[in-house]
Amino acid sequence: MRSYSVESAFHPCDEAVIATNDDASDCKRCAVRLGYWKDEYIGYFVRSSERKAPEINRGYFARVKGVEMCVEKFLKKTNDKCQIINLGCGFDTLYWRLKDSGHNIINYTELDFPTVTARKCYTIKRNKALLGKIHAEDGEVKLSPTDMHGPNYHIMGVDLRNIDELDNKLQQAEIDYKLPTIFIAECVLVYIEAQNCRNLLKWLAGRFESAVFVNFEQVNMNDRFGDVMLNNLRARGCSLAGIDSCLSLETQTSRFLECGWSGSRAWDMVQVYQSISPSERQRIEHIEMLDETELLTQLSQHYCLAVAWVGELFQDIEITVEKRMSSLNID
Ligand SMILES: C[S@@+](CC[C@H](N)C(=O)[O-])C[C@H]1O[C@@H](n2cnc3c(N)ncnc32)[C@H](O)[C@@H]1O
């Protein structure tokens, strides 16, 4: 297998962008340890993490649940005859969690910078609990320092700004462009320059016959709270090259429509949180007390979940989500 030249593709901010995965993984690890959701696998990738503020833990809970809700709807609709492609996957563990809940989809592919995928591959190789689930099907696992190919799991190092390289990698993963496919991007597009992001979204919309895109990231970035968030990230060396699409729910959806996706909807994380079942919300609200909820509300108003689709099969994915949201908003 060909390994990827890490240095040649680097932009000045990539180091800082890659480090955002450590932050996200740390936060997920902390929330899991406190019992916000179950994840037996994140601990292999992050051994220990500092305790985070309750607002952060609740924010991550809504983020993980929101993405999961979309994925579950998609799996139900396709009866698992589908592909999942996680763009900028970091150390996300959804592949293993889905396996544990009995899902066996046709192809699960993860993509990130080679520096990140090399660390993920190394950890998977060293831990039976992770590797065993990839082996579980009959068949061998092919490895390079940055890439791994199992029977239905693939992880590969690639810069998502390089479409030729991406095309090549998806072919190595035996992605079938005719099969229903869901893309997940959790806090990834915001780090990609607007033109590169448009190229990526256009290419995906043109290449896949039937696809759904689930995008979690910042929104409402043009107010004072947004300024503070941006300055914090910039102080850590992240340029936030894709911030122009994070100004409002409207800019989040129009980006997809302008790039050839047939439809798109977006909700801020206050709405997404309200769409989670009341019993589940009650459970996690008892894990840690919040003296006041203003900061959590402000944070939640500055992140969103946007869904876009290509092809007719998933036209109603937004309606299903919305119905659930409005019915729960009445509570
Ligand atoms: C904030 S982290 C999120 C990781 C993971 N999605 C999660 O939520 O746990 C952003 C991830 O996007 C990846 N990323 C950003 N720009 C990328 C690019 N141009 N190509 C590949 N990966 C990229 C980073 O390396 C990092 O792992």
Side-chain angles (χ1 to χ4, degrees):
M1 268 168 62
R2 193 158 63 94
S3 68
Y4 183 85
S5 158
V6 177
E7 289 77 15
S8 63
F10 258 40
H11 292 214
C13 303
D14 290 353
E15 209 79 58
V17 170
I18 285 166
T20 63
N21 171 50
D22 293 319
D23 285 347
S25 310
D26 257 21
C27 291
K28 287 181 177 179
R29 172 84 174 106
C30 170
V32 165
R33 196 199 296 262
L34 290 168
Y36 279 86
W37 70 93
K38 282 209 172 73
D39 183 342
E40 287 173 30
Y41 304 101
I42 188 74
Y44 291 105
F45 297 103
V46 188
R47 288 285 169 191
S48 60
S49 65
E50 272 175 27
R51 192 166 177 139
K52 313 288 177 207
E55 289 84 355
I56 304 287
N57 296 325
R58 282 205 200 176
Y60 269 85
F61 168 77
R63 161 178 175 169
V64 169
K65 280 284 154 200
V67 171
E68 260 178 33
M69 274 171 0
C70 296
V71 170
E72 266 160 24
K73 278 176 204 302
F74 180 81
L75 295 180
K76 202 166 169 198
K77 244 179 196 302
T78 58
N79 205 11
D80 284 9
K81 305 273 176 296
C82 64
Q83 309 177 115
I84 297 180
I85 302 183
N86 194 341
L87 305 169
C89 59
F91 293 160
D92 189 76
T93 57
L94 184 62
Y95 171 77
W96 292 272
R97 288 181 283 125
L98 286 178
K99 267 263 157 117
D100 282 352
S101 51
H103 289 291
N104 207 1
I105 66 160
I106 291 175
N107 188 321
Y108 196 110
T109 289
E110 303 205 282
L111 303 166
D112 206 303
F113 281 122
T115 313
V116 176
T117 58
R119 286 174 63 196
K120 196 163 184 176
C121 286
Y122 179 79
T123 306
I124 295 172
K125 253 188 310 184
R126 284 168 52 99
N127 290 287
K128 263 199 187 143
L130 298 169
L131 191 59
K133 288 269 161 24
I134 294 170
H135 264 305
E137 330 262 312
D138 293 337
E140 55 169 341
V141 172
K142 285 193 243 153
L143 275 164
S144 79
T146 62
D147 298 5
M148 175 181 287
H149 297 279
N152 81 336
Y153 175 80
H154 305 265
I155 177 165
M156 293 165 293
V158 66
D159 183 340
L160 296 167
R161 295 167 295 197
N162 184 338
I163 302 290
D164 291 342
E165 182 85 26
L166 174 65
D167 191 11
N168 178 23
K169 290 286 181 179
L170 292 182
Q171 284 175 36
Q172 286 177 29
E174 298 181 341
I175 286 291
D176 180 346
Y177 296 101
K178 292 189 171 17
L179 266 186
T181 302
I182 186 164
F183 297 93
I184 302 169
E186 254 185 79
C187 278
V188 178
L189 301 185
V190 66
Y191 299 115
I192 298 181
E193 296 72 10
Q195 190 54 51
N196 291 113
C197 188
R198 274 195 292 274
N199 293 345
L200 172 67
L201 295 180
K202 268 187 203 160
W203 186 78
L204 295 177
R207 199 78 173 85
F208 287 80
E209 278 182 14
S210 175
V212 174
F213 200 112
V214 177
N215 185 42
F216 171 88
E217 69 183 356
Q218 290 87 343
V219 75
N220 295 325
M221 282 293 114
N222 52 2
D223 64 12
R224 278 191 59 202
F225 193 86
D227 272 350
V228 175
M229 282 171 64
L230 288 182
N231 288 337
N232 285 342
L233 277 160
R234 286 197 184 110
R236 291 158 52 190
C238 289
S239 78
L240 298 162
I243 203 68
D244 284 355
S245 295
C246 302
L247 299 184
S248 64
L249 293 175
E250 207 275 323
T251 59
Q252 281 286 355
T253 53
S254 58
R255 159 169 62 186
F256 284 102
L257 303 178
E258 285 157 14
C259 291
W261 291 73
S262 332
S264 177
R265 297 295 305 267
W267 305 271
D268 73 30
M269 293 310 287
V270 175
Q271 294 170 298
V272 173
Y273 185 70
Q274 283 165 354
S275 79
I276 297 169
S277 75
S279 61
E280 187 65 349
R281 278 183 283 156
Q282 255 181 17
R283 181 186 69 77
I284 68 110
E285 283 167 13
H286 281 97
I287 295 177
E288 292 174 290
M289 288 311 173
L290 279 183
D291 293 338
E292 44 108 346
T293 54
E294 199 185 324
L295 177 58
L296 177 64
T297 306
Q298 278 188 316
L299 262 176
S300 305
Q301 285 166 341
H302 288 83
Y303 283 95
C304 73
L305 202 58
V307 179
W309 56 94
V310 165
E312 283 169 19
L313 185 56
F314 305 110
Q315 264 177 350
D316 65 342
I317 194 161
E318 40 110 14
I319 295 163
T320 342
V321 175
E322 191 178 48
K323 258 189 191 158
R324 191 166 173 198
M325 281 177 178
S326 39
S327 64
L328 286 168
N329 281 343
I330 297 165
D331 287 337

mmCIF file of all heavy atoms in Angstrom, residues 243-278:
data_model
loop_
_atom_site.group_PDB
_atom_site.id
_atom_site.type_symbol
_atom_site.label_atom_id
_atom_site.label_comp_id
_atom_site.label_asym_id
_atom_site.label_seq_id
_atom_site.Cartn_x
_atom_site.Cartn_y
_atom_site.Cartn_z
ATOM 1 N N ILE A 243 -15.274 30.039 7.982
ATOM 2 C CA ILE A 243 -16.213 30.672 8.909
ATOM 3 C C ILE A 243 -17.384 31.375 8.203
ATOM 4 O O ILE A 243 -18.464 31.518 8.787
ATOM 5 C CB ILE A 243 -15.456 31.642 9.860
ATOM 6 C CG1 ILE A 243 -16.251 31.870 11.138
ATOM 7 C CG2 ILE A 243 -15.089 32.942 9.173
ATOM 8 C CD1 ILE A 243 -16.362 30.672 12.011
ATOM 9 N N ASP A 244 -17.198 31.775 6.969
ATOM 10 C CA ASP A 244 -18.269 32.514 6.271
ATOM 11 C C ASP A 244 -19.568 31.714 6.156
ATOM 12 O O ASP A 244 -20.647 32.297 6.031
ATOM 13 C CB ASP A 244 -17.816 32.936 4.867
ATOM 14 C CG ASP A 244 -16.875 34.116 4.935
ATOM 15 O OD1 ASP A 244 -16.671 34.631 6.063
ATOM 16 O OD2 ASP A 244 -16.334 34.501 3.883
ATOM 17 N N SER A 245 -19.472 30.415 6.185
ATOM 18 C CA SER A 245 -20.698 29.610 6.123
ATOM 19 C C SER A 245 -21.306 29.400 7.506
ATOM 20 O O SER A 245 -22.333 28.742 7.647
ATOM 21 C CB SER A 245 -20.402 28.249 5.499
ATOM 22 O OG SER A 245 -20.007 28.437 4.172
ATOM 23 N N CYS A 246 -20.645 29.945 8.532
ATOM 24 C CA CYS A 246 -21.112 29.725 9.906
ATOM 25 C C CYS A 246 -21.771 30.976 10.477
ATOM 26 O O CYS A 246 -21.842 31.151 11.693
ATOM 27 C CB CYS A 246 -19.944 29.316 10.799
ATOM 28 S SG CYS A 246 -19.104 27.830 10.241
ATOM 29 N N LEU A 247 -22.247 31.858 9.611
ATOM 30 C CA LEU A 247 -22.820 33.110 10.108
ATOM 31 C C LEU A 247 -24.257 32.921 10.582
ATOM 32 O O LEU A 247 -24.713 33.595 11.498
ATOM 33 C CB LEU A 247 -22.748 34.197 9.030
ATOM 34 C CG LEU A 247 -21.322 34.542 8.572
ATOM 35 C CD1 LEU A 247 -21.339 35.682 7.579
ATOM 36 C CD2 LEU A 247 -20.429 34.892 9.767
ATOM 37 N N SER A 248 -24.983 32.016 9.962
ATOM 38 C CA SER A 248 -26.396 31.810 10.346
ATOM 39 C C SER A 248 -26.839 30.421 9.869
ATOM 40 O O SER A 248 -26.128 29.771 9.094
ATOM 41 C CB SER A 248 -27.274 32.867 9.669
ATOM 42 O OG SER A 248 -27.203 32.688 8.266
ATOM 43 N N LEU A 249 -28.028 30.022 10.311
ATOM 44 C CA LEU A 249 -28.560 28.735 9.834
ATOM 45 C C LEU A 249 -28.767 28.811 8.320
ATOM 46 O O LEU A 249 -28.587 27.826 7.599
ATOM 47 C CB LEU A 249 -29.880 28.416 10.544
ATOM 48 C CG LEU A 249 -29.769 28.125 12.052
ATOM 49 C CD1 LEU A 249 -31.158 27.957 12.664
ATOM 50 C CD2 LEU A 249 -28.925 26.879 12.319
ATOM 51 N N GLU A 250 -29.084 30.006 7.868
ATOM 52 C CA GLU A 250 -29.316 30.200 6.428
ATOM 53 C C GLU A 250 -28.015 29.989 5.634
ATOM 54 O O GLU A 250 -28.016 29.316 4.607
ATOM 55 C CB GLU A 250 -29.891 31.618 6.217
ATOM 56 C CG GLU A 250 -30.751 31.761 4.989
ATOM 57 C CD GLU A 250 -29.935 32.033 3.743
ATOM 58 O OE1 GLU A 250 -28.940 32.769 3.862
ATOM 59 O OE2 GLU A 250 -30.291 31.506 2.663
ATOM 60 N N THR A 251 -26.902 30.547 6.121
ATOM 61 C CA THR A 251 -25.635 30.355 5.372
ATOM 62 C C THR A 251 -25.211 28.885 5.429
ATOM 63 O O THR A 251 -24.593 28.371 4.507
ATOM 64 C CB THR A 251 -24.482 31.239 5.904
ATOM 65 O OG1 THR A 251 -24.252 30.939 7.291
ATOM 66 C CG2 THR A 251 -24.775 32.711 5.737
ATOM 67 N N GLN A 252 -25.567 28.217 6.529
ATOM 68 C CA GLN A 252 -25.228 26.789 6.637
ATOM 69 C C GLN A 252 -25.957 25.963 5.569
ATOM 70 O O GLN A 252 -25.377 25.064 4.977
ATOM 71 C CB GLN A 252 -25.609 26.251 8.022
ATOM 72 C CG GLN A 252 -24.624 26.601 9.120
ATOM 73 C CD GLN A 252 -23.330 25.794 9.043
ATOM 74 O OE1 GLN A 252 -23.183 24.903 8.218
ATOM 75 N NE2 GLN A 252 -22.381 26.124 9.901
ATOM 76 N N THR A 253 -27.239 26.297 5.347
ATOM 77 C CA THR A 253 -27.994 25.497 4.381
ATOM 78 C C THR A 253 -27.713 25.940 2.943
ATOM 79 O O THR A 253 -27.605 25.115 2.042
ATOM 80 C CB THR A 253 -29.517 25.564 4.647
ATOM 81 O OG1 THR A 253 -29.889 26.932 4.710
ATOM 82 C CG2 THR A 253 -29.900 24.868 5.919
ATOM 83 N N SER A 254 -27.558 27.264 2.753
ATOM 84 C CA SER A 254 -27.385 27.730 1.367
ATOM 85 C C SER A 254 -26.089 27.214 0.779
ATOM 86 O O SER A 254 -25.990 26.974 -0.420
ATOM 87 C CB SER A 254 -27.490 29.245 1.264
ATOM 88 O OG SER A 254 -26.525 29.829 2.083
ATOM 89 N N ARG A 255 -25.067 27.032 1.616
ATOM 90 C CA ARG A 255 -23.806 26.478 1.111
ATOM 91 C C ARG A 255 -24.054 25.153 0.382
ATOM 92 O O ARG A 255 -23.521 24.911 -0.691
ATOM 93 C CB ARG A 255 -22.841 26.266 2.281
ATOM 94 C CG ARG A 255 -21.759 25.261 1.975
ATOM 95 C CD ARG A 255 -20.663 25.214 2.981
ATOM 96 N NE ARG A 255 -21.078 24.825 4.318
ATOM 97 C CZ ARG A 255 -20.252 24.842 5.357
ATOM 98 N NH1 ARG A 255 -19.019 25.246 5.216
ATOM 99 N NH2 ARG A 255 -20.652 24.457 6.545
ATOM 100 N N PHE A 256 -24.888 24.295 0.988
ATOM 101 C CA PHE A 256 -25.151 22.990 0.358
ATOM 102 C C PHE A 256 -25.930 23.169 -0.945
ATOM 103 O O PHE A 256 -25.623 22.552 -1.949
ATOM 104 C CB PHE A 256 -25.927 22.076 1.308
ATOM 105 C CG PHE A 256 -25.064 21.502 2.404
ATOM 106 C CD1 PHE A 256 -25.089 22.022 3.684
ATOM 107 C CD2 PHE A 256 -24.213 20.439 2.141
ATOM 108 C CE1 PHE A 256 -24.277 21.493 4.687
ATOM 109 C CE2 PHE A 256 -23.404 19.898 3.140
ATOM 110 C CZ PHE A 256 -23.440 20.440 4.417
ATOM 111 N N LEU A 257 -26.959 24.029 -0.889
ATOM 112 C CA LEU A 257 -27.799 24.215 -2.078
ATOM 113 C C LEU A 257 -26.973 24.780 -3.232
ATOM 114 O O LEU A 257 -27.110 24.354 -4.382
ATOM 115 C CB LEU A 257 -28.982 25.127 -1.759
ATOM 116 C CG LEU A 257 -29.869 24.637 -0.598
ATOM 117 C CD1 LEU A 257 -30.985 25.626 -0.303
ATOM 118 C CD2 LEU A 257 -30.444 23.247 -0.913
ATOM 119 N N GLU A 258 -26.068 25.711 -2.913
ATOM 120 C CA GLU A 258 -25.217 26.299 -3.962
ATOM 121 C C GLU A 258 -24.227 25.276 -4.522
ATOM 122 O O GLU A 258 -23.660 25.477 -5.588
ATOM 123 C CB GLU A 258 -24.436 27.492 -3.387
ATOM 124 C CG GLU A 258 -25.302 28.725 -3.196
ATOM 125 C CD GLU A 258 -24.738 29.697 -2.163
ATOM 126 O OE1 GLU A 258 -23.552 29.555 -1.787
ATOM 127 O OE2 GLU A 258 -25.491 30.593 -1.729
ATOM 128 N N CYS A 259 -23.998 24.206 -3.771
ATOM 129 C CA CYS A 259 -23.031 23.204 -4.224
ATOM 130 C C CYS A 259 -23.713 21.975 -4.825
ATOM 131 O O CYS A 259 -23.114 20.895 -4.909
ATOM 132 C CB CYS A 259 -22.130 22.786 -3.075
ATOM 133 S SG CYS A 259 -21.021 24.109 -2.591
ATOM 134 N N GLY A 260 -24.978 22.127 -5.196
ATOM 135 C CA GLY A 260 -25.621 21.051 -5.949
ATOM 136 C C GLY A 260 -26.381 20.033 -5.113
ATOM 137 O O GLY A 260 -26.882 19.044 -5.645
ATOM 138 N N TRP A 261 -26.492 20.269 -3.784
ATOM 139 C CA TRP A 261 -27.300 19.350 -2.971
ATOM 140 C C TRP A 261 -28.772 19.712 -3.182
ATOM 141 O O TRP A 261 -29.117 20.886 -3.339
ATOM 142 C CB TRP A 261 -26.884 19.445 -1.493
ATOM 143 C CG TRP A 261 -25.504 18.875 -1.288
ATOM 144 C CD1 TRP A 261 -24.325 19.464 -1.676
ATOM 145 C CD2 TRP A 261 -25.160 17.600 -0.745
ATOM 146 N NE1 TRP A 261 -23.273 18.622 -1.393
ATOM 147 C CE2 TRP A 261 -23.749 17.467 -0.808
ATOM 148 C CE3 TRP A 261 -25.893 16.542 -0.188
ATOM 149 C CZ2 TRP A 261 -23.078 16.333 -0.363
ATOM 150 C CZ3 TRP A 261 -25.219 15.414 0.276
ATOM 151 C CH2 TRP A 261 -23.831 15.314 0.183
ATOM 152 N N SER A 262 -29.653 18.702 -3.191
ATOM 153 C CA SER A 262 -31.050 18.975 -3.552
ATOM 154 C C SER A 262 -31.813 19.737 -2.469
ATOM 155 O O SER A 262 -32.733 20.493 -2.771
ATOM 156 C CB SER A 262 -31.828 17.690 -3.814
ATOM 157 O OG SER A 262 -31.028 16.670 -4.249
ATOM 158 N N GLY A 263 -31.483 19.513 -1.223
ATOM 159 C CA GLY A 263 -32.202 20.192 -0.147
ATOM 160 C C GLY A 263 -31.342 20.231 1.096
ATOM 161 O O GLY A 263 -30.385 19.457 1.229
ATOM 162 N N SER A 264 -31.692 21.114 2.030
ATOM 163 C CA SER A 264 -30.899 21.227 3.257
ATOM 164 C C SER A 264 -31.718 21.893 4.351
ATOM 165 O O SER A 264 -32.542 22.774 4.078
ATOM 166 C CB SER A 264 -29.638 22.049 2.962
ATOM 167 O OG SER A 264 -28.895 22.218 4.146
ATOM 168 N N ARG A 265 -31.530 21.464 5.587
ATOM 169 C CA ARG A 265 -32.170 22.106 6.750
ATOM 170 C C ARG A 265 -31.131 22.211 7.863
ATOM 171 O O ARG A 265 -30.199 21.413 7.916
ATOM 172 C CB ARG A 265 -33.338 21.245 7.275
ATOM 173 C CG ARG A 265 -34.466 21.061 6.318
ATOM 174 C CD ARG A 265 -35.204 22.339 5.992
ATOM 175 N NE ARG A 265 -35.702 23.030 7.190
ATOM 176 C CZ ARG A 265 -36.911 22.860 7.696
ATOM 177 N NH1 ARG A 265 -37.744 22.004 7.140
ATOM 178 N NH2 ARG A 265 -37.298 23.532 8.756
ATOM 179 N N ALA A 266 -31.310 23.170 8.745
ATOM 180 C CA ALA A 266 -30.372 23.296 9.863
ATOM 181 C C ALA A 266 -31.100 23.716 11.132
ATOM 182 O O ALA A 266 -32.094 24.443 11.068
ATOM 183 C CB ALA A 266 -29.289 24.322 9.512
ATOM 184 N N TRP A 267 -30.609 23.260 12.257
ATOM 185 C CA TRP A 267 -31.195 23.589 13.560
ATOM 186 C C TRP A 267 -30.075 23.968 14.514
ATOM 187 O O TRP A 267 -29.003 23.330 14.491
ATOM 188 C CB TRP A 267 -31.933 22.367 14.151
ATOM 189 C CG TRP A 267 -32.965 21.820 13.236
ATOM 190 C CD1 TRP A 267 -34.288 22.192 13.165
ATOM 191 C CD2 TRP A 267 -32.781 20.802 12.233
ATOM 192 N NE1 TRP A 267 -34.922 21.469 12.194
ATOM 193 C CE2 TRP A 267 -34.037 20.611 11.610
ATOM 194 C CE3 TRP A 267 -31.698 20.051 11.822
ATOM 195 C CZ2 TRP A 267 -34.217 19.697 10.576
ATOM 196 C CZ3 TRP A 267 -31.865 19.138 10.785
ATOM 197 C CH2 TRP A 267 -33.114 18.965 10.182
ATOM 198 N N ASP A 268 -30.327 24.959 15.363
ATOM 199 C CA ASP A 268 -29.283 25.225 16.358
ATOM 200 C C ASP A 268 -29.367 24.155 17.449
ATOM 201 O O ASP A 268 -30.329 23.379 17.505
ATOM 202 C CB ASP A 268 -29.343 26.674 16.880
ATOM 203 C CG ASP A 268 -30.525 26.930 17.808
ATOM 204 O OD1 ASP A 268 -30.967 25.990 18.499
ATOM 205 O OD2 ASP A 268 -31.010 28.074 17.834
ATOM 206 N N MET A 269 -28.366 24.129 18.305
ATOM 207 C CA MET A 269 -28.284 23.010 19.247
ATOM 208 C C MET A 269 -29.273 23.145 20.403
ATOM 209 O O MET A 269 -29.495 22.181 21.134
ATOM 210 C CB MET A 269 -26.842 22.832 19.752
ATOM 211 C CG MET A 269 -25.873 22.391 18.673
ATOM 212 S SD MET A 269 -26.436 20.954 17.695
ATOM 213 C CE MET A 269 -26.222 19.609 18.864
ATOM 214 N N VAL A 270 -29.896 24.306 20.538
ATOM 215 C CA VAL A 270 -30.994 24.404 21.515
ATOM 216 C C VAL A 270 -32.136 23.529 21.009
ATOM 217 O O VAL A 270 -32.711 22.713 21.744
ATOM 218 C CB VAL A 270 -31.470 25.871 21.682
ATOM 219 C CG1 VAL A 270 -32.680 25.938 22.591
ATOM 220 C CG2 VAL A 270 -30.345 26.749 22.201
ATOM 221 N N GLN A 271 -32.439 23.663 19.709
ATOM 222 C CA GLN A 271 -33.518 22.861 19.111
ATOM 223 C C GLN A 271 -33.153 21.374 19.107
ATOM 224 O O GLN A 271 -34.005 20.527 19.392
ATOM 225 C CB GLN A 271 -33.769 23.334 17.679
ATOM 226 C CG GLN A 271 -34.322 24.726 17.591
ATOM 227 C CD GLN A 271 -34.324 25.209 16.147
ATOM 228 O OE1 GLN A 271 -33.277 25.324 15.515
ATOM 229 N NE2 GLN A 271 -35.497 25.471 15.632
ATOM 230 N N VAL A 272 -31.913 21.097 18.767
ATOM 231 C CA VAL A 272 -31.511 19.681 18.724
ATOM 232 C C VAL A 272 -31.644 19.064 20.113
ATOM 233 O O VAL A 272 -32.167 17.963 20.277
ATOM 234 C CB VAL A 272 -30.063 19.520 18.179
ATOM 235 C CG1 VAL A 272 -29.580 18.083 18.302
ATOM 236 C CG2 VAL A 272 -29.989 19.981 16.729
ATOM 237 N N TYR A 273 -31.199 19.816 21.122
ATOM 238 C CA TYR A 273 -31.294 19.297 22.496
ATOM 239 C C TYR A 273 -32.752 19.007 22.859
ATOM 240 O O TYR A 273 -33.066 17.990 23.466
ATOM 241 C CB TYR A 273 -30.683 20.300 23.478
ATOM 242 C CG TYR A 273 -30.634 19.775 24.890
ATOM 243 C CD1 TYR A 273 -29.763 18.749 25.240
ATOM 244 C CD2 TYR A 273 -31.496 20.275 25.876
ATOM 245 C CE1 TYR A 273 -29.734 18.240 26.536
ATOM 246 C CE2 TYR A 273 -31.475 19.778 27.168
ATOM 247 C CZ TYR A 273 -30.596 18.757 27.485
ATOM 248 O OH TYR A 273 -30.584 18.238 28.758
ATOM 249 N N GLN A 274 -33.632 19.905 22.430
ATOM 250 C CA GLN A 274 -35.056 19.709 22.745
ATOM 251 C C GLN A 274 -35.658 18.521 22.011
ATOM 252 O O GLN A 274 -36.715 18.027 22.376
ATOM 253 C CB GLN A 274 -35.841 20.984 22.419
ATOM 254 C CG GLN A 274 -35.638 22.037 23.488
ATOM 255 C CD GLN A 274 -36.094 23.402 23.029
ATOM 256 O OE1 GLN A 274 -36.463 23.596 21.867
ATOM 257 N NE2 GLN A 274 -36.046 24.363 23.928
ATOM 258 N N SER A 275 -34.988 18.075 20.971
ATOM 259 C CA SER A 275 -35.524 16.935 20.217
ATOM 260 C C SER A 275 -35.146 15.592 20.859
ATOM 261 O O SER A 275 -35.650 14.545 20.474
ATOM 262 C CB SER A 275 -35.015 16.967 18.779
ATOM 263 O OG SER A 275 -33.704 16.466 18.722
ATOM 264 N N ILE A 276 -34.259 15.649 21.839
ATOM 265 C CA ILE A 276 -33.863 14.410 22.533
ATOM 266 C C ILE A 276 -34.986 14.045 23.510
ATOM 267 O O ILE A 276 -35.635 14.930 24.079
ATOM 268 C CB ILE A 276 -32.514 14.631 23.258
ATOM 269 C CG1 ILE A 276 -31.424 14.932 22.215
ATOM 270 C CG2 ILE A 276 -32.139 13.426 24.120
ATOM 271 C CD1 ILE A 276 -30.121 15.421 22.799
ATOM 272 N N SER A 277 -35.185 12.752 23.724
ATOM 273 C CA SER A 277 -36.349 12.354 24.522
ATOM 274 C C SER A 277 -36.289 12.979 25.927
ATOM 275 O O SER A 277 -35.213 13.087 26.519
ATOM 276 C CB SER A 277 -36.429 10.835 24.623
ATOM 277 O OG SER A 277 -35.452 10.393 25.536
ATOM 278 N N PRO A 278 -37.444 13.388 26.458
ATOM 279 C CA PRO A 278 -37.456 14.041 27.770
ATOM 280 C C PRO A 278 -36.799 13.181 28.853
ATOM 281 O O PRO A 278 -36.097 13.704 29.718
ATOM 282 C CB PRO A 278 -38.946 14.230 28.055
ATOM 283 C CG PRO A 278 -39.598 14.228 26.710
ATOM 284 C CD PRO A 278 -38.781 13.333 25.847
#
